[in-house]
Amino acid sequence: MILRSQRPLKLKAAFICDISLETFVSIIKTAYSYFTLLLYIAN
């Protein structure tokens, strides 16, 4: 269990490539920023 927890977490992106958790979080933050900007502009 300890050996498994020392490996970095990798996520599959559309079964094409692996992305790290940091990259995934960055993508989610950017998408949320654009979403809130669009909501602000729409109002």
Side-chain angles (χ1 to χ4, degrees), residues 1 4 6 11-12 21-22 26 28 32 40-43:
M1 182 111 165
R4 184 180 177 118
Q6 292 175 347
L11 301 171
K12 284 279 192 186
L21 182 60
E22 292 83 14
S26 175
I28 295 300
Y32 181 74
Y40 180 76
I41 291 172
N43 289 331

Side-chain angles (χ1 to χ4, degrees), residues 8-40:
L9 179 65
K10 293 183 180 177
L11 301 171
K12 284 279 192 186
F15 302 107
I16 298 173
C17 62
D18 293 332
I19 59 171
S20 67
L21 182 60
E22 292 83 14
T23 306
F24 178 72
V25 170
S26 175
I27 292 169
I28 295 300
K29 284 182 180 180
T30 303
Y32 181 74
S33 295
Y34 285 130
F35 177 71
T36 55
L37 178 66
L38 290 174
L39 282 178
Y40 180 76

